[in-house]
Amino acid sequence: MRERDVVVSGASIAGLSAAFWLRRLGWQVTVIERAPAFRDGGQNVDVRGVAREVLDRMGLFDEVKRQNTTETGTVVVDASGKVTAELPSDGPDGATAELEVLRGDFARTIHDHLPPGVAFVYGDTIETATDGPESLHIVTSQGRELRCDLLVIAEGVRSATRDRVFAADEVTQKDLDVTMVFGTIPRTAGDDDRWRWHNTTRGRQIHLRPDNHGTTRAILAYSPGDDLAGLGRGDALARVRDRYADAGWEAPRVLDAFDASDDVYIDQLTQIRMTTWHRGRTVLAGDAGWCVTPMGGGGASLALTSGYVLAAQLAAHPDDTEAALTAYETWMRPLVDDVQGLPRGLKHFAYPQTRTGLALRHLVGKVLTSPPLKPLAAKLTQVAETKQTLPEIPQGAA
Ligand SMILES: Cc1cc2nc3c(=O)[nH]c(=O)nc-3n(C[C@H](O)[C@H](O)[C@H](O)COP(=O)(O)OP(=O)(O)OC[C@H]3O[C@@H](n4cnc5c(N)ncnc54)[C@H](O)[C@@H]3O)c2cc1C
């Protein structure tokens, strides 16, 4: 059979997974990444549900497990640091999952285990993608011209190529009104091996999590959120500092450390909802198609799984791209819908505004994490769960 060409735009979890599996199937793979070099940054992500099986089929389960962040559990703490509740973390999919890994370590692991022959272009982006009778014609901002049989857009939530290929009314961007600031800060003697989670009034959360690099991963998350997108890093962090001025607990330490850190990632949580993820020879994978946000959880698991399922369906329908991409959507959609449909009232529960709301949250949290209700609480952290069997990649390729 004629060798087929794929261009993958975006070199993070979804793009690298697609590159991995399509190359294994013999496709010529070119990955275009906007950043000037491979991006190592990012905080905790986890591998759950069916993504564990995908990772295993990649032969990378043990490698990722070796890079575990070392976190042993998740606790809620009060303003003095005293533990008020412990979230279930036993089993593979607890609040602290069995496979907790830093995004950069995870992406790097896939990158370093790609089958030989994947070509990378850094510091470039797709300017136009025109579908023709024989192939799809891509022109990049650096003037490169590429012809391919398939374009996989895996550019994350703010994907520019998606917004060019699909009309505005086909891409619903649902602002969840939550801002999250992730950063790496120096570890201190008081930090332990658990994820410590503190809630305070005016919808503010502070999280501290251990990592496997001798540092601590901090998150400030708050709602109502702030639109910090147009601001420079200094101005954005100043706004966050104002917001956390009287937040107590470890807020001053985190704010000071963020100012000095070169690894701060700010996100205004936005769900992406689309009625279709493909058009002609173009298909979306990962956050670009369905960002679920950390509030839904499982973004990395779905991104990893999408690369595998896409390749498997293309292998199953070698002469019919439309059928393959439809089958890919049909397989992935229930997993995405499951996570995007956030329980009613979740935001008010997670981000209480007043002292009364906070007290209620503590109470509900205590009840939910009590032994009889632990199985229910454990369900809240299960994502990428499915009764469908993973489609097979033909023998010899996998
Ligand atoms: C540097 C970084 C840090 C992150 N940190 C966290 C974190 O701390 N916590 C968390 O929950 N999630 C984080 N995420 C998001 C998380 O990785 C994703 O939610 C999830 O893993 C799904 O991955 P994805 O591959 O679909 O998208 P992403 O991981 O968002 O990757 C998209 C990739 O596409 C590239 N890209 C974007 N636009 C273009 C373009 N026009 N052309 C070519 N390439 C493009 C980006 O540089 C990136 O490499 C981070 C992502 C990145 C890129």
Side-chain angles (χ1 to χ4, degrees):
M1 199 204 297
R2 176 178 80 81
E3 219 168 46
R4 294 194 284 174
D5 291 273
V6 58
V7 171
V8 177
S9 188
S12 183
I13 314 294
L16 293 171
S17 174
F20 182 101
W21 288 107
L22 287 169
R23 183 66 195 137
R24 272 226 185 157
L25 285 171
W27 287 64
Q28 286 298 326
V29 183
T30 304
V31 180
I32 299 180
E33 164 59 46
R34 182 180 59 185
F38 185 75
R39 296 182 76 176
D40 265 324
Q43 314 298 328
N44 307 54
V45 295
D46 41 37
V47 186
R48 295 173 184 268
V50 71
R52 294 162 53 86
E53 173 67 22
V54 172
L55 196 62
D56 196 38
R57 292 186 187 193
M58 289 169 121
L60 297 179
F61 191 97
D62 291 337
E63 182 65 31
V64 169
K65 199 170 169 187
R66 256 196 297 282
Q67 298 181 64
N68 204 285
T69 58
T70 71
E71 188 175 290
T72 59
T74 304
V75 292
V76 180
V77 297
D78 68 13
S80 68
K82 193 173 117 231
V83 174
T84 59
E86 179 153 11
L87 276 67
S89 290
D90 32 350
D93 289 331
T96 292
E98 182 190 10
L99 293 176
E100 288 284 346
V101 63
L102 298 180
R103 190 212 69 95
D105 288 346
F106 189 23
R108 170 68 69 188
T109 302
I110 307 171
H111 174 272
D112 290 353
H113 291 84
L114 287 170
V118 176
F120 279 84
V121 174
Y122 286 104
D124 206 355
T125 55
I126 293 173
E127 201 68 32
T128 59
T130 316
D131 224 338
E134 298 299 325
S135 62
L136 191 136
H137 180 215
I138 289 172
V139 179
T140 72
S141 50
Q142 301 287 338
R144 287 185 176 83
E145 291 201 36
L146 301 158
R147 290 194 181 273
C148 61
D149 303 284
L150 184 72
L151 165 63
V152 181
I153 302 176
E155 299 173 357
V157 58
R158 320 259 171 235
S159 169
T161 310
R162 171 199 63 210
D163 292 346
R164 270 194 223 117
V165 172
F166 293 85
D169 62 2
E170 292 177 295
V171 186
T172 304
Q173 311 212 10
K174 188 174 176 208
D175 182 354
L176 298 185
D177 202 17
V178 174
T179 299
M180 282 198 170
V181 188
F182 305 84
T184 309
I185 68 173
R187 192 170 168 83
T188 61
D191 291 343
D192 64 22
D193 58 0
R194 292 170 303 177
W195 173 0
R196 290 182 298 153
W197 176 332
H198 178 64
N199 262 87
T200 187
T201 52
R202 293 177 50 218
R204 294 166 296 179
Q205 300 179 351
I206 305 168
H207 303 260
L208 293 176
R209 308 183 70 170
D211 71 17
N212 51 325
H213 292 258
T215 42
T216 290
R217 304 289 163 150
I219 307 169
L220 301 178
Y222 58 94
S223 179
D226 258 336
D227 186 5
L228 306 176
L231 301 180
R233 177 200 143 98
D235 290 339
L237 287 178
R239 288 267 285 275
V240 178
R241 184 177 279 278
D242 279 351
R243 184 70 181 247
Y244 276 79
D246 61 347
W249 193 47
E250 301 262 6
R253 168 192 168 203
V254 172
L255 290 163
D256 288 348
F258 277 3
D259 282 342
S261 170
D262 58 3
D263 185 20
V264 173
Y265 173 82
I266 301 179
D267 196 14
Q268 172 79 10
L269 302 196
T270 309
Q271 275 189 352
I272 299 295
R273 293 175 177 229
M274 300 181 66
T275 49
T276 181
W277 294 319
H278 73 280
R279 162 144 316 140
R281 294 186 181 83
T282 301
V283 64
L284 297 161
D287 280 8
W290 55 71
C291 182
V292 291
T293 79
M295 231 168 127
S301 297
L302 293 173
L304 186 79
T305 305
S306 65
Y308 176 90
V309 174
L310 176 63
Q313 300 296 8
L314 285 159
H317 304 274
D319 302 318
D320 191 344
T321 304
E322 177 62 29
L325 301 186
T326 302
Y328 158 73
E329 283 207 28
T330 305
W331 205 96
M332 288 301 300
R333 196 164 284 279
L335 279 75
V336 172
D337 288 350
D338 190 36
V339 185
Q340 283 197 330
L342 298 172
R344 264 174 91 86
L346 176 69
K347 200 167 74 190
H348 296 296
F349 174 66
Y351 297 94
Q353 302 296 317
T354 60
R355 295 224 159 269
T356 315
L358 198 57
L360 191 67
R361 187 195 187 285
H362 279 309
L363 191 68
V364 177
K366 260 194 170 326
V367 173
L368 262 181
T369 53
S370 63
L373 290 187
K374 259 193 174 177
L376 180 67
K379 274 211 165 319
L380 296 175
T381 52
Q382 284 175 7
V383 292
E385 288 291 335
T386 179
K387 290 200 164 59
Q388 305 174 91
T389 359
L390 269 180
E392 293 300 323
I393 296 267
Q395 285 290 329

